[in-house]
């Protein structure tokens, strides 16, 4: 497998709703292939996917009645992201995530903004579900300024930030260690996934070394819940767009706060996400975290910090800071991806034109399939 393909497999395996990633899957799905892996149904979005001959990639499973359609997930596409990279646009930025979620900011009139906020809130709830997609799992929080409406000048001058819950999930159990990480997580990649995975693994090894798994308290919780307990409760702080842009410049982040948050929410290593996390996690902020000061704070080696600024000064002073060493995916980040796209700009533009042609063909197939269904329904009546 190529390095890029290995990264794709790793990304799928890190998704909370995926049980197994099978490499080298054929582009045209066959009955023997899905039978081999014990799968009865094949699920795909409501967009048609065609092979090089313009034929439906799922024609065999459709004929066998083993195809299920789900509404395609609304949101951005690879084409959108590449466009932002090539055109250096910033109109995707959110000025204040919490204000947009509450319908106070954004394009359109008040009714349209409120509808957008409700849509975003529903997406947060969906992405915060457990591996079944039905039960709450990830906690979602917001670190935002206290609203100043109704305050006098003196009160506004002393107003501060507060931690507010947005989506209820599963809180940490008494025996679990609180682990905090923060970052941009732009173009959520295997570099981010590997960092989160290694932070969890380091804590698990430390827990094993002190006999955590064999403690009576842990066994009692496992007996009560009927599931294996992890010693780690991972909290991810996510920086706002304006803060990221002030540090990285250009048109970073390529994905806005909400889009980046959804990427982090779906990762199986994550237990809680805090939107609007500060660039410098000062001691006062750490004490305001949803369940108190964390036991550990992790970060990877990075060169994106401004000169002479150590965001983790307080974390080091408190003896909480740990650094994840370089690994095989350390170089995979937003800057590296953007550089690669810009370097191969002509190739990407040609590919997008080809996709446009393919899209027209697939749309024609979709219309033809719809006509056949209508004809079949008419003949039956």
């Amino acid at each position: 497998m190529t390095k890029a393909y290995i990264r794709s497999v790793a990304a799928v395996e890190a998704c909370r709703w995926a049980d197994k990633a099978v490499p080298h899957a054929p582009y045209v799905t066959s009955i023997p292939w899905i039978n081999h892996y014990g799968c009865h149904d094949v699920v795909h979005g409501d967009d048609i996917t065609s092979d090089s001959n313009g034929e439906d990639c799922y024609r065999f499973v459709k004929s066998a009645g083993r195809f299920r359609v789900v509404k395609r997930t609304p949101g951005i596409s690879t084409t959108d992201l590449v466009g932002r990279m090539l055109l250096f646009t910033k109109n995707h930025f959110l000025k204040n995530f919490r204000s947009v979620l509450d319908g106070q900011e954004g394009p359109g009139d008040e009714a349209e903004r409120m509808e957008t906020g409700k849509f975003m809130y529903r997406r947060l709830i969906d992405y915060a579900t457990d591996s079944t997609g039905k039960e709450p799992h990830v906690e979602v929080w917001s670190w935002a300024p206290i609203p100043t409406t109704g305050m006098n000048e003196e009160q506004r001058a002393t107003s501060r930030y507060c931690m507010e819950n947005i989506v209820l999930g599963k809180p940490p159990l008494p025996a679990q260690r609180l682990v905090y990480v923060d970052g941009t997580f732009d173009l959520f990649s295997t570099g981010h996934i590997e960092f989160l995975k290694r932070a969890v693994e380091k804590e698990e090894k430390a827990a094993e070394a002190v006999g955590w798994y064999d403690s009576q308290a842990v066994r009692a919780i496992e007996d009560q819940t009927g599931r294996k307990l992890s010693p780690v409760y991972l909290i991810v702080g996510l920086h706002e767009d304006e803060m990221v842009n002030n540090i990285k410049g250009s048109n970073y982040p390529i994905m806005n706060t909400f889009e980046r948050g959804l990427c982090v929410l779906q990762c199986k290593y994550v237990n809680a996400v805090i939107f609007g996390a500060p660039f410098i996690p000062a001691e006062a902020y750490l004490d305001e975290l949803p369940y108190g000061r964390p036991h550990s704070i992790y970060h990877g080696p990075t060169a994106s910090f401004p000169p002479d600024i150590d965001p983790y000064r307080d974390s080091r002073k408190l003896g909480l800071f740990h650094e994840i060493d370089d690994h095989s995916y350390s170089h995979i980040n937003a800057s590296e991806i953007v550089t690669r796209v810009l370097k191969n700009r002509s190739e990407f533009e040609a590919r997008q034109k080809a996709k446009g042609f393919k899209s027209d063909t697939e749309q024609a197939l979709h219309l033809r399939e719809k006509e056949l269904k209508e004809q079949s329904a008419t003949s039956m009546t």
Side-chain angles (χ1 to χ4, degrees):
M1 291 190 290
T2 64
K3 291 181 179 179
Y5 196 84
I6 292 172
R7 292 196 294 268
S8 297
V9 172
V12 174
E13 288 179 335
C15 179
R16 193 164 53 256
W17 305 295
D19 296 305
K20 182 180 179 64
V22 181
H24 307 300
Y27 199 67
V28 177
T29 306
S30 65
I31 300 298
W33 176 264
I34 62 173
N35 286 344
H36 178 75
Y37 289 99
C39 300
H40 184 272
D41 292 329
V42 175
V43 181
H44 195 269
D46 54 6
D47 55 315
I48 297 294
T49 303
S50 59
D51 61 18
S52 58
N53 296 320
E55 295 188 84
D56 190 340
C57 290
Y58 298 101
R59 57 189 181 274
F60 300 118
V61 290
K62 283 183 177 180
S63 298
R66 297 171 65 176
F67 185 76
R68 300 290 179 268
V69 178
V70 295
K71 187 173 178 58
R72 190 174 185 181
T73 305
I76 55 172
S77 66
T78 305
T79 304
D80 295 327
L81 294 177
V82 171
R84 293 176 188 179
M85 297 178 207
L86 298 179
L87 301 175
F88 296 95
T89 57
K90 291 185 180 182
N91 55 6
H92 58 284
F93 286 4
L94 301 182
K95 186 176 180 181
N96 183 288
F97 167 74
R98 191 59 217 247
S99 295
V100 175
L101 193 65
D102 292 339
Q104 298 172 359
E105 288 185 15
D109 58 27
E110 183 179 357
E112 291 173 324
R113 292 195 301 271
M114 291 299 293
E115 189 58 36
T116 297
K118 289 178 182 178
F119 170 76
M120 292 170 63
Y121 180 65
R122 288 193 296 268
R123 295 284 297 281
L124 290 174
I125 293 175
D126 289 342
Y127 276 63
T129 54
D130 63 5
S131 59
T132 69
K134 298 177 181 179
E135 299 295 329
H137 182 73
V138 182
E139 296 249 300
V140 181
W141 297 80
S142 171
W143 177 250
I146 296 174
T148 58
T149 304
M151 290 185 180
N152 58 37
E153 290 301 320
E154 183 179 352
Q155 289 172 324
R156 285 194 181 95
T158 58
S159 65
R160 55 195 293 273
Y161 281 66
C162 69
M163 194 72 69
E164 185 178 1
N165 182 259
I166 299 175
V167 178
L168 289 172
K170 292 180 180 177
L173 295 169
Q176 290 181 301
R177 286 173 58 84
L178 302 177
V179 177
Y180 180 77
V181 302
D182 62 8
T184 304
F185 297 97
D186 194 15
L187 299 175
F188 194 72
S189 66
T190 44
H192 301 121
I193 293 169
E194 187 67 18
F195 161 68
L196 296 173
K197 177 184 177 183
R198 291 192 175 219
V200 170
E201 288 176 343
K202 286 194 74 169
E203 287 291 317
E204 289 176 339
K205 288 180 180 177
E208 185 177 10
V210 297
W212 185 90
Y213 292 94
D214 298 322
S215 71
Q216 290 184 345
V218 171
R219 288 185 175 181
I221 293 173
E222 290 180 339
D223 290 341
Q224 184 179 1
T225 60
R227 60 186 176 89
K228 189 73 174 176
L229 181 64
S230 168
V232 185
Y233 189 89
L234 184 66
I235 304 170
V236 178
L238 192 71
H239 304 320
E240 291 266 22
D241 295 336
E242 184 177 5
M243 180 187 300
V244 176
N245 188 251
N246 287 339
I247 296 169
K248 299 197 68 174
S250 187
N251 68 327
Y252 290 105
I254 304 301
M255 300 174 78
N256 66 39
T257 310
F258 178 63
E259 296 161 349
R260 292 182 284 118
L262 294 181
C263 291
V264 175
L265 278 172
Q266 60 81 39
C267 182
K268 68 181 183 181
Y269 303 111
V270 176
N271 298 102
V273 175
I274 300 173
F275 285 85
F279 176 66
I280 298 177
E283 183 176 356
Y285 166 76
L286 297 176
D287 289 337
E288 291 286 336
L289 288 176
Y291 301 102
R293 183 181 296 183
H295 298 94
S296 300
I297 296 173
Y298 284 85
H299 202 272
T302 179
S304 62
F305 295 157
D308 305 321
I309 292 181
D310 178 10
Y312 300 100
R313 180 181 62 252
D314 286 7
S315 303
R316 297 179 199 274
K317 183 184 70 175
L318 295 168
L320 306 176
F321 185 78
H322 304 273
E323 189 171 279
I324 297 298
D325 297 330
D326 279 328
H327 49 78
S328 56
Y329 300 130
S330 293
H331 65 292
I332 306 296
N333 53 39
S335 298
E336 194 272 344
I337 294 171
V338 170
T339 300
R340 193 191 313 161
V341 170
L342 294 177
K343 184 178 179 181
N344 298 284
R345 178 169 186 160
S346 58
E347 180 184 334
F348 273 101
E349 289 175 341
R351 187 183 303 170
Q352 296 313 312
K353 287 181 180 178
K355 280 187 177 181
F357 173 77
K358 188 168 180 246
S359 177
D360 291 340
T361 304
E362 289 169 353
Q363 182 63 23
L365 272 172
H366 178 68
L367 292 173
R368 179 57 179 157
E369 190 176 66
K370 185 178 179 182
E371 288 175 3
L372 290 173
K373 285 182 179 179
E374 290 175 349
Q375 291 172 6
S376 176
T378 303
S379 63
M380 290 178 66
T381 56

